[in-house]
Every structure is written in C-alpha cells, then in structure tokens.
Amino acid sequence: VGDSFRVTALPGATQPMNVQLPLAAITPLRDPASSSWFYAPWFLDEAFTIPEETFFNSIVLNFVPAGAEFTWVANYDEQDIEVTNATRVLGGLNWLRYNLSNQLTGMQFLTRLDQAIGDFITGTRTLKVLLIVLGAPVAGIALYYVIITSQLIVERQRAEIAVLKSRGASDGQVFAIFLIQGLLIIVLAVLLAPLLALPLAQLIGKATTFLAFTDPRVLPVKLHSSIYNYALATAALALVAILTPTIRAARETIVTYRHSEARETRRAFVHRYYLDLVLLLLGGWGYRTLSRSGTIITRDSTGRLTYNPRLLATPIILSIGTGFLLLRGFPLLLRLLARL
C-alpha cells in the first residue's frame, strides 16, 4: 500500500496515457472459494478499483472516448427457491429483464437462473402428474376402506339407532352423533398426518430405482400451508366417506331394522367375481417387469422425461388389487376378533 503505478494504455482510448496511480488499499476476499462473486477472484487481483468520481472527472475527461462497464449483481440463495415460490421468482426475473431492457440500451442480462427455474418447474409439473396418477387409486382405496369400516361400525350400532328412533330421536339427531365422531377423527388426522408424512417423504426421496432406496442425500422437506390445504381436502372426503353409511341408518326404524336383519347380505361385485385376484395377477406381472427394468421413468434422446404407460399402471393395479384383497379378509378378521 502506497506504491505508485504508471498506466500507459486504456482500452478504447484514442491517445496514449501516462497516469500515476497510487495503491490506496488492498481488499482481500472474505471467502475466495465462494461462488457468489460475479467476477472470478483472479480478475479482482489484476484489476484496479477506483472511485466513480475519479473515473468520470479524470479518466473520461482526459482520455475520450474511454470504454466503461457498469455491473449490477443480484445474489439469490438457491436454497430458498422451492416448489411454492419458483413460479414467482421466475416471474420476477422476467419482469426485471423486461424493465431493464427497455430503460438501458446495450445491456446484457447474464443469468442461467431463469432457465434452471424453468426446467425445475417443468420437471415438478411432470412429477406432480405422475404422483397424482399413482396416488389417486391409493387414496380411492383408502376412502373405500373408510366406507367399509364405517358400514361395519354402523352395522354394529343399527340396533341402538333403531331403539333411539323408536324413542323419538330425529334423523338429524342420529346423524349429528356420527358427524361429531367423524369431526373428532379427521381433526386429529389433519394435525398428525403431515408430521407423520415427513419421514416417509424423505424415505421416498432416497429412491434411485424401483424399490431401491440407496441415495445417501436427505431430501429437504418443509411443511407449507398448501400441505395442510391438501390434508383438509382429503379430510373432507374422508368425512363424507364416514357419513355416507349413516345416512341410510339414520332413517331406519325398529321395523325396517328387523326386516333388513332377515335378509342375506350380498358381497361386493369385486369380491363376487374375484376381480381382486385378477388384479393381483396383473400387478404381479408388472412387478416382475419393473424389477427387471428398475424404473418407470426414463429420458429420451432429447433429455425429456418419458414413461411406459403399461408400467405406470402397474403400481396402480397392484395397489387396487391388494386393497380389495385386504377388504375381502377384513370382515372375516372382525368376526374372528368378535368371537375371541
């Protein structure tokens, strides 16, 4: 610090220079390995940094025309960009590019962040569609299971309901009893389900191929308000599934109850024709094929995500077949427990 340097050439100048520049300070990089620097550290080591007043009042006035480059840097923390705000960040970048391009001529907008976010949004949309396709049958089976369970519970309480109706209880009062029970169940489920889903989501994030959880990285998972919105929507469907069997039971009297008891109950269409076993056979074939190929989703020659529709249907068919098979044995299990 204090040494003088003689500058004899300046890019863009029309005449030679002879300027003495004293070195006023040496500013080291706080973290030379950081990736947040717009220029490489070696460039900053070989460049002079001067005040703006010195550049305009001395360099530009004495050596005209003198080229100049003005650089604005916006640093983004990629850890804060996620599914919930990626579209908003991309829109902000496009808005910034549009406004700066209109106000500044000869401007270069240098970033790959917009392309990376665009690819990220496209990939997440594809994955969302796949998750919905794969998850909807599972959710349907779960709701069907809730309906079957509610029917069994209502069947156990039909005699009590008939007695209540014979003693003057209205349909609304009987329905309100089951409504309160259902609300208590779904409120507890909405509070606990997202917390229980966090470790499960991280486990799924370790999947590299079909049923191979070998990725050492830990998927960052956060609880957003949208997750509880999904949980509330699912809970509303579950409440409807819980209350569906009670609508008919609430209208029943002691007479209709005795008549229905004398009739033989019929099994479901799926169980009568053993469609659950057929689905399990088809799912077993797909499982064997998936075990050999290792994945449902592949990339084509252009790098886009593609998938085989037949293999995509395998988890769906297997889930539905397994669910119906469990529902076939569920009443038998309850009868066994009742006898014990």
Side-chain angles (χ1 to χ4, degrees):
V1 175
D3 294 344
S4 295
F5 295 86
R6 185 166 62 92
V7 179
T8 59
L10 183 69
T14 57
Q15 54 184 310
M17 297 175 56
N18 190 5
V19 180
Q20 293 293 121
L21 295 177
L23 186 61
I26 296 176
T27 306
L29 297 177
R30 178 178 297 176
D31 183 11
S34 175
S35 61
S36 63
W37 293 93
F38 189 81
Y39 290 109
W42 60 264
F43 179 84
L44 299 177
D45 292 339
E46 299 178 1
F48 280 108
T49 303
I50 61 175
E52 187 177 357
E53 294 81 6
T54 303
F55 177 78
F56 282 106
N57 297 334
S58 298
I59 302 296
V60 174
L61 293 180
N62 293 316
F63 305 98
V64 179
E69 177 182 302
F70 298 89
T71 303
W72 289 268
V73 180
N75 292 323
Y76 288 81
D77 186 359
E78 68 275 8
Q79 300 296 329
D80 288 337
I81 301 176
E82 50 196 26
V83 177
T84 56
N85 62 6
T87 304
R88 188 168 69 251
V89 174
L90 182 60
L93 284 173
N94 293 333
W95 177 86
L96 182 64
R97 184 198 300 271
Y98 175 79
N99 282 274
L100 291 178
S101 301
N102 288 337
Q103 297 177 20
L104 300 175
T105 58
M107 185 207 71
Q108 285 184 308
F109 196 86
L110 302 176
T111 180
R112 294 182 181 177
L113 183 61
D114 52 351
Q115 180 181 356
I117 295 177
D119 295 340
F120 172 72
I121 292 175
T122 303
T124 53
R125 285 174 180 171
T126 303
L127 290 177
K128 278 184 178 180
V129 172
L130 290 175
L131 287 175
I132 291 174
V133 171
L134 294 174
V138 178
I141 286 293
L143 292 175
Y144 185 67
Y145 169 80
V146 171
I147 293 176
I148 294 296
T149 307
S150 300
Q151 286 178 345
L152 293 173
I153 294 175
V154 170
E155 286 292 329
R156 299 285 294 180
Q157 296 178 341
R158 282 177 64 193
E160 300 176 16
I161 295 173
V163 171
L164 287 175
K165 293 296 295 295
S166 64
R167 292 180 177 178
S170 64
D171 296 349
Q173 289 174 330
V174 175
F175 185 80
I177 295 174
F178 290 94
L179 176 63
I180 294 174
Q181 292 178 358
L183 287 175
L184 291 176
I185 294 172
I186 68 168
V187 167
L188 185 62
V190 168
L191 294 177
L192 293 181
L195 298 178
L196 297 176
L198 285 178
L200 182 60
Q202 290 181 331
L203 176 63
I204 295 175
K206 291 182 175 294
T208 53
T209 58
F210 182 61
L211 291 182
F213 304 94
T214 57
D215 195 335
R217 295 172 298 179
V218 178
L219 182 70
V221 182
K222 298 180 181 178
L223 283 178
H224 297 283
S225 57
S226 59
I227 295 177
Y228 283 97
N229 293 336
Y230 285 121
L232 286 173
T234 309
L237 293 176
L239 182 61
V240 173
I242 291 173
L243 297 179
T244 298
T246 65
I247 297 176
R248 183 173 60 88
R251 299 173 181 173
E252 208 163 40
T253 63
I254 192 68
V255 177
T256 57
Y257 168 69
R258 294 299 183 187
H259 278 295
S260 61
E261 281 289 301
R263 300 193 191 101
E264 183 181 356
T265 57
R266 297 184 63 187
R267 290 186 299 174
F269 175 82
V270 174
H271 296 151
R272 286 203 308 270
Y273 295 97
Y274 299 96
L275 295 182
D276 50 346
L277 300 181
V278 175
L279 291 175
L280 281 177
L281 291 175
L282 293 176
W285 171 83
Y287 176 84
R288 184 179 179 183
T289 306
L290 274 176
S291 300
R292 291 179 176 178
S293 61
T295 182
I296 297 175
I297 307 171
T298 57
R299 290 188 181 273
D300 58 13
S301 57
T302 61
R304 292 180 303 177
L305 294 175
T306 60
Y307 52 88
N308 188 335
R310 288 178 298 178
L311 293 182
L312 181 63
T314 296
I316 301 174
I317 295 174
L318 200 59
S319 300
I320 295 176
T322 305
F324 279 125
L325 183 64
L326 293 176
L327 290 173
R328 177 189 289 274
F330 188 67
L332 299 176
L333 177 62
L334 287 184
R335 293 191 190 100
L336 177 61
L337 293 175
R339 291 185 179 182
L340 292 177

